[in-house]
Amino acid sequence: MGRLYAALAAVEAELAGMAALGPDQIRELTKMGAKSEAFVRQSTVAFGENPGVLPRNFAWKASSAT
């Protein structure tokens, strides 16, 4: 159990600088529906496979979190 508590303490220490959002702030966030998310994922794949489609000055970095 000691290692578990040490790991949790390490995670809490890493997250200490992050700000929590309040309920009102969360409600105001723009949310993505399932179709929008699927579109963005497919666009990510397409842009990764066809980098010449985007302008050269477009800041693009393919994410591996697909």
Side-chain angles (χ1 to χ4, degrees):
M1 272 311 226
R3 291 189 329 187
L4 176 62
Y5 288 126
L8 289 173
V11 169
E12 287 177 355
E14 288 294 320
L15 299 176
M18 298 186 83
L21 296 176
D24 292 335
Q25 292 171 312
I26 292 172
R27 269 190 234 93
E28 291 176 6
L29 292 174
T30 302
K31 295 169 182 75
M32 243 195 244
K35 290 181 181 180
S36 298
E37 181 183 355
F39 172 79
V40 171
R41 288 186 185 274
Q42 287 298 323
S43 299
T44 301
V45 171
F47 292 145
E49 292 174 352
N50 304 288
V53 172
L54 298 171
R56 290 180 187 223
N57 64 347
F58 190 82
W60 171 257
K61 182 178 178 188
S63 172
S64 60
T66 55

